[in-house]
Amino acid sequence: MDDLNAWWAALAGLAIGAAVGFTTRRARLCSFGALEDALVGSDTRRLRVFGLALGIALAGTQFLVLTGLLDPQATSYVPGALPWIGIGLGGVMFGLGMALVGTCAFGSCVRLGSGDLRSLVVLLVFGVTAYAMLRGTLATYRIGFGEAWALVFPRSGQADLPGLVDPLLGLSSRAALATACAAILIALAVTDARLRKARRLLVAGVVLGAGVVCGWLATQYLVDEFLQAARPQSLTFVSPVAITLHGMLLDGATLLNFGTGSITGVILGAFAAAQASDEFRWEAFDDAREMKRHLLGAVLMGAGGVLCGGCTIGQGITAGSLMALSWPLAVGGMILGARLGIAFLVEGRALFFLPNRTAARPRLAGGRRSRS
């Protein structure tokens, strides 16, 4: 990719990230907060908003696929073999780390834009760990263990839902599957009477879903294929954080890419939203215990995010928009890991199915609820 194309891709990421960061900060939309609300408080509104985002992303992305504007196999989410053990284990690690930190990688970017210096430390440790798993000293363990056992799909050659269903039916099911799944997800959100009154949440969900679709388009058509093979990507916050950190330290030329642009955009968008609502505040760790919990959570998220191939946005929405088979494994692992973390931090139990040995604490460790 030459400098001009690199600049266009980075600027597209910046614009998409800024829109997503601004709207999610205004709506206080947080993936871990949504899981906590659903698992502990039986309030599924924020979880339905993520379903709305996934439904919109799914509908838009599959339209691109059906019209030939996007090839799923050109992405990293629909390989010919599915490393199911690494994805599941990585999801559990990421979910547990998310509980320890109180938010995910995307939420840490939003928090940083709001003045939370704890998130700066989390992102630094997260990025270092993720890069070590991607290309550093831990990469051999990832390849030797996380990718050693994989399910191969010889009949379809791609690990997505249509690739699993089509050989069984003997016909193309992509359009029907995409329509049905997107309609159900969107309906679950718009039919909730309380959620319809929360316009900021609905707007954040729509912008997040549309941002994923725009990301596919930007990275598909802003790359000069004569200079570099096109590898479409969209919103995700694991490998881009690692690559951004590496670029800041060692190779500034690598900063001109969609992922770095989107991360910067999310931080700037959250900053603008916090300033507009007069909620920008500098915050730091309360004590050493809180810092240690955040550091451990950052390590678990960095390692787990690389193993499972993405974060709550990268796997939860971006991979989901492709109907990738990694989606249920990764998201299921993240939910399980988050539930284990909540059981330990909030309820004083090592496992959520064991009896509570201490009085339940009403708030997450650190004396605060998770927030975006």
Side-chain angles (χ1 to χ4, degrees):
M1 184 189 300
D2 59 15
D3 288 343
L4 182 60
N5 281 306
W7 272 107
W8 278 117
L11 289 173
L14 182 70
I16 294 169
V20 171
F22 183 87
T23 53
T24 53
R25 176 62 182 80
R26 290 274 286 178
R28 296 187 179 277
L29 183 61
C30 170
S31 52
F32 176 69
L35 286 174
E36 185 188 3
D37 288 348
L39 294 173
V40 178
S42 299
D43 183 353
T44 62
R45 280 178 296 176
R46 288 202 284 181
L47 202 59
R48 289 170 186 259
V49 172
F50 278 102
L52 172 64
L54 176 57
I56 292 172
L58 176 60
T61 300
Q62 293 306 312
F63 174 80
L64 298 180
V65 174
L66 289 168
T67 54
L69 297 175
L70 176 66
D71 179 8
Q73 290 184 287
T75 73
S76 60
Y77 294 106
V78 187
L82 186 70
W84 59 280
I85 291 181
I87 293 173
L89 177 61
V92 173
M93 293 171 62
F94 190 93
L96 181 56
M98 185 168 58
L100 294 174
V101 172
T103 191
C104 62
F106 169 69
S108 294
C109 293
V110 174
R111 283 188 179 186
L112 179 58
S114 305
D116 194 333
L117 296 176
R118 291 168 294 200
S119 294
L120 176 61
V121 176
V122 167
L123 287 171
L124 290 173
V125 176
F126 171 83
V128 168
T129 307
Y131 196 86
M133 288 290 289
L134 277 172
R135 303 175 183 174
T137 55
L138 300 178
T140 55
Y141 299 101
R142 169 180 60 81
I143 296 171
F145 173 75
E147 300 178 5
W149 295 277
L151 294 176
V152 181
F153 299 87
R155 296 182 66 182
S156 64
Q158 56 187 54
D160 63 0
L161 188 56
L164 185 66
V165 173
D166 289 359
L168 300 177
L169 299 179
L171 51 85
S172 177
S173 61
R174 182 176 296 277
L177 288 171
T179 301
C181 293
I184 291 171
L185 289 167
I186 294 173
L188 287 173
V190 299
T191 56
D192 188 294
R194 292 191 303 165
L195 187 54
R196 287 199 302 270
K197 299 177 182 179
R199 294 184 179 180
R200 287 186 178 181
L201 278 173
L202 291 175
V203 169
V206 171
V207 172
L208 180 56
V212 170
V213 180
C214 292
W216 290 126
L217 281 172
T219 55
Q220 175 74 47
Y221 294 101
L222 293 179
V223 174
D224 189 338
E225 296 185 53
F226 290 99
L227 298 175
Q228 176 178 318
R231 184 119 175 134
Q233 67 177 102
S234 193
L235 294 177
T236 186
F237 297 87
V238 178
S239 59
V241 172
I243 292 170
T244 298
L245 182 60
H246 175 267
M248 292 176 65
L249 294 175
L250 299 174
D251 187 3
T254 61
L255 294 175
L256 287 178
N257 61 78
F258 176 85
T260 297
S262 63
I263 292 168
T264 306
V266 167
I267 295 172
L268 293 177
F271 172 75
Q275 288 283 16
S277 57
D278 195 26
E279 293 177 345
F280 183 86
R281 300 288 186 275
W282 292 113
E283 297 184 60
F285 294 108
D286 294 333
D287 51 37
R289 183 178 182 180
E290 184 185 25
M291 184 174 183
K292 288 188 289 186
R293 188 182 67 253
H294 278 69
L295 293 178
L296 176 58
V299 170
L300 287 171
M301 283 200 300
V306 173
L307 277 175
C308 74
C311 58
T312 54
I313 304 299
Q315 276 289 355
I317 299 180
T318 300
S321 73
L322 292 169
M323 296 190 285
L325 294 181
S326 61
W327 182 85
L329 291 173
V331 173
M334 290 176 190
I335 294 173
L336 175 59
R339 187 63 183 90
L340 292 172
I342 291 171
F344 177 72
L345 292 173
V346 179
E347 303 168 12
R349 292 179 286 172
L351 294 174
F352 65 86
F353 49 79
L354 292 180
N356 195 348
R357 297 180 180 275
T358 61
R361 290 169 285 182
R363 296 184 180 273
L364 288 176
R368 68 183 191 285
R369 283 287 184 188
S370 63
R371 60 175 179 81
S372 61

